[in-house]
Amino acid sequence: MTKIAVAKGDGIGPEIMDAVLGIFEAAKVPLQYEVVDMGKWVFDKGYSNGMTPEAQETIESLGILFKGPMETPKGKGVKSVNVTARKTWNTYANKRTFQTLHGVDTVFSKAGIPIDITIVRENIEDTYGGIEHMLTHDVALGRRFITRPGSLQVIKYAFEMAKKKGARRITCGHKSNIMKITDGLFLEVFHEVAKEYPELKADDVIVDDLCMKLVSRPDLFDVVVLTNLQGDIVSDLCAGLVGGLGFAPSANIGDHISIFEAVHGTAPDIAGKNIANPTALLLSGFGMLRHLGLMETSAMIENALLYTLESGVHTGDFGDKSTPALSTSEFAAAIIGNFGKLPANHPKPAIANHYVTPTHFKLEKNPMLESIEMGQEEIVGVDLFIESNEQPTILAEKMLKHTLDIFKLVTISNRGTQVWPKGSVFTNLVNQYRCRFESIGDLPVTQVDVLELYKRVMQDYKVCSTELLNMWDGKKAYSLAQGQ
Ligand code: NAI
């Protein structure tokens, strides 16, 4: 029998996990559970990543973690256990499915508009690296990583999943009209991968437009793939479309380890009262059962859940307020009582089980993801981020003294808007500028040349940060300032 790791979590975690495992047991799901120590209470015991070394070892050897929500301890410098788990084990794709559930009334169900959307969110990169610095007392800077191999992993997963699911359409949500290099890279990889799947209708939509379209015509979308932060926001928007967080499941998929959990948190306001809705965790459990090839078993329980919802049975957070709400355990018992029944609306087809045993990898070293090096690479300049509260012309005058015979001062910008050589006195300034030096004639320069420039500028200003300007195969690998 396949063994998986289970972490019950904090707050309502243990209540909803016990309810779901009770349903699995009654359905004779052929799984064994190894409960591991993970969560806020483990953190409080002094384990800074929120899990014991034994828990980490068990999860790494079993490959599957079914988890309840976990509280993030408050305070600076403390990382979320949930995010740590996703990043440590490289679960690069966060898959969330949002479907109309009969018995869960929403604006769309009342209007007869069916929803069946799967959001695939990149789970590792973007601003979630949390690499942030104060450059001056007034200016904070965060770094946003979008990588080609990271984008490739999640986008390939999204296409494979869409193909298996028989999706009508796969859409990339992005903001590459503004973030031309970062979101531009994600979008480029999306269209490259799309060529390998000619049978799927692949298109892209700018994320703000996507949000508008999702709330007006959600039935037009099927699979949507996005970068981390945009995916985070759009998936909560979709949770709202189908009835809220109580119905939002999530799977964090990696090559070696996968984590299945509900989208919602620990609900401290209702913890310990046996009134929480276990549906989202149960739906996440279905995702896990299907991941393990337990199709028939999953469909049987799913049909019982859908039948239960259709018949008007509900917990306190949804459904007809004129009928009494069931407790968490009563709701689970009602589902068990409906095993074998089929809902009137869209029963799940019982495809035969085809068991998949999670592959146990023993990795000797960290996998290095690297695309093939492309073309000739040259350094052609540098952006120096400097602290100053002077006017742009005064700053430019001083900078021009330092250019040596190698560099020319091309532009000075403030918060990304060009203020020199051209600009407007109506542009508000903060005390941190970016000065862009490019090599004369676009000739390659060395890091030593850059260091020499840095040393000279340093005589007048504090250099808060630097970024080299690269040219690949004659193409600029950096963005222009607004107005440049
Ligand atoms: P939350 O999702 O815990 O609660 C938001 C609201 O939804 C509350 O009113 C709550 O009672 C309700 N709610 C949530 N799940 C419910 C359920 N199953 N049944 C009925 N009502 C439900 O979000 P909040 O309050 O922002 O976060 C609380 C804690 O959970 C924080 O420490 C946060 O860091 C953590 N969290 C953990 C997550 C995870 O483990 N993946 C995800 C989100 C938050």
Side-chain angles (χ1 to χ4, degrees), residues 295-469:
M295 307 299 183
E296 198 177 337
T297 323
S298 173
M300 191 284 285
I301 313 172
E302 251 178 295
N303 281 326
L305 166 71
L306 296 175
Y307 182 93
T308 308
L309 293 173
E310 255 180 28
S311 61
V313 168
H314 65 95
T315 48
D317 55 311
F318 75 101
D320 185 352
K321 296 285 176 231
S322 66
T323 60
L326 298 195
S327 67
T328 311
S329 41
E330 287 166 342
F331 186 74
I335 296 169
I336 295 170
N338 288 328
F339 278 178
K341 295 188 179 149
L342 293 180
N345 285 296
H346 314 296
K348 297 282 165 186
I351 306 159
N353 287 341
H354 50 88
Y355 300 93
V356 183
T357 315
T359 347
H360 302 303
F361 291 90
K362 275 270 167 253
L363 296 182
E364 297 296 325
K365 54 182 184 175
N366 295 67
M368 169 63 73
L369 310 172
E370 200 172 15
S371 334
I372 307 148
E373 289 259 324
M374 280 184 295
Q376 198 193 356
E377 190 176 322
E378 283 166 351
I379 300 170
V380 290
V382 65
D383 278 347
L384 296 184
F385 296 78
I386 59 115
E387 181 169 358
S388 165
N389 56 9
E390 294 161 322
Q391 285 295 304
T393 42
I394 297 176
L395 175 66
E397 227 169 85
K398 288 196 201 161
M399 286 293 167
L400 284 165
K401 285 194 308 211
H402 297 310
T403 50
L404 307 160
D405 291 334
I406 305 173
F407 296 101
K408 56 181 189 277
L409 180 64
V410 182
T411 174
I412 297 178
S413 63
N414 197 292
R415 290 191 285 175
T417 305
Q418 179 170 278
V419 290
W420 185 93
K422 277 192 210 128
S424 161
V425 281
F426 290 97
T427 303
N428 285 184
L429 303 174
V430 296
N431 62 0
Q432 191 267 312
Y433 287 94
R434 178 184 64 169
C435 302
R436 172 162 291 177
F437 296 90
E438 283 179 0
S439 60
I440 294 169
D442 277 346
L443 292 173
V445 292
T446 64
Q447 292 193 74
V448 176
D449 296 328
V450 170
L451 196 61
E452 203 48 50
L453 175 71
Y454 187 111
K455 278 193 203 153
R456 294 178 63 113
V457 170
M458 227 170 61
Q459 293 163 11
D460 291 329
Y461 297 102
K462 179 176 143 199
V463 180
C464 318
S465 180
T466 61
E467 211 65 71
L468 292 177
L469 303 179

Side-chain angles (χ1 to χ4, degrees), residues 49-357:
N49 62 353
M51 63 182 108
T52 60
E54 295 77 31
Q56 178 162 354
E57 205 182 307
T58 304
I59 295 161
E60 289 180 2
S61 72
L62 297 178
I64 299 280
L65 171 64
F66 190 29
K67 75 176 270 296
M70 290 172 192
E71 186 183 331
T72 302
K74 295 203 170 59
K76 281 193 173 171
V78 179
K79 302 261 180 192
S80 147
V81 186
N82 308 301
V83 177
T84 303
R86 290 172 210 155
K87 288 171 85 88
T88 307
W89 296 313
N90 205 62
T91 61
Y92 50 77
N94 181 238
K95 177 188 170 205
R96 299 183 184 179
T97 7
F98 305 96
Q99 278 173 314
T100 305
L101 293 166
H102 293 273
V104 184
D105 278 347
T106 66
V107 179
F108 296 102
S109 67
K110 285 181 187 156
I113 299 174
I115 298 176
D116 183 358
I117 302 172
T118 306
I119 302 285
V120 180
R121 159 189 170 195
E122 197 285 317
N123 222 8
I124 310 284
E125 306 190 337
D126 203 341
T127 44
Y128 285 68
I131 303 173
E132 302 190 319
H133 300 90
M134 292 301 294
L135 293 195
T136 73
H137 283 290
D138 279 346
V139 180
L141 176 78
R143 296 201 167 213
R144 176 170 194 250
F145 282 96
I146 302 289
T147 72
R148 187 180 289 280
S151 304
L152 195 61
Q153 278 186 320
V154 65
I155 290 169
K156 265 204 173 267
Y157 168 78
F159 272 92
E160 265 310 300
M161 187 272 298
K163 185 175 152 184
K164 273 197 204 130
K165 163 177 192 286
R168 293 168 280 134
R169 177 183 181 191
I170 175 163
T171 307
C172 177
H174 63 92
K175 192 76 186 170
S176 73
N177 52 331
I178 302 296
M179 294 178 280
K180 292 186 167 45
I181 295 200
T182 47
D183 270 24
L185 176 59
F186 192 76
L187 184 61
E188 184 184 309
V189 173
F190 175 84
H191 285 300
E192 274 168 18
V193 175
K195 287 188 200 135
E196 296 166 29
Y197 297 83
E199 68 279 25
L200 283 171
K201 179 181 180 308
D203 60 2
D204 68 272
V205 182
I206 290 177
V207 69
D208 34 351
D209 188 25
L210 176 69
C211 290
M212 197 268 291
K213 289 190 166 114
L214 279 169
V215 293
S216 49
R217 288 297 304 275
D219 51 320
L220 297 182
F221 292 91
D222 193 338
V223 174
V224 184
V225 58
L226 300 120
T227 51
N228 205 343
L229 178 61
Q230 294 168 31
D232 192 8
I233 298 165
V234 171
S235 45
D236 269 24
L237 181 150
C238 290
L241 299 178
V242 295
L245 286 177
F247 303 94
S250 143
N252 300 285
I253 309 284
D255 287 337
H256 308 306
I257 296 167
S258 295
I259 306 169
F260 297 84
E261 62 181 337
V263 170
H264 63 71
T266 58
D269 49 334
I270 57 166
K273 296 184 181 161
N274 193 26
I275 57 170
N277 179 0
T279 309
L281 188 63
L282 184 58
L283 293 171
S284 314
F286 297 153
M288 179 177 72
L289 296 186
R290 286 195 295 266
H291 186 80
L292 293 167
L294 299 166
M295 307 299 183
E296 198 177 337
T297 323
S298 173
M300 191 284 285
I301 313 172
E302 251 178 295
N303 281 326
L305 166 71
L306 296 175
Y307 182 93
T308 308
L309 293 173
E310 255 180 28
S311 61
V313 168
H314 65 95
T315 48
D317 55 311
F318 75 101
D320 185 352
K321 296 285 176 231
S322 66
T323 60
L326 298 195
S327 67
T328 311
S329 41
E330 287 166 342
F331 186 74
I335 296 169
I336 295 170
N338 288 328
F339 278 178
K341 295 188 179 149
L342 293 180
N345 285 296
H346 314 296
K348 297 282 165 186
I351 306 159
N353 287 341
H354 50 88
Y355 300 93
V356 183
T357 315

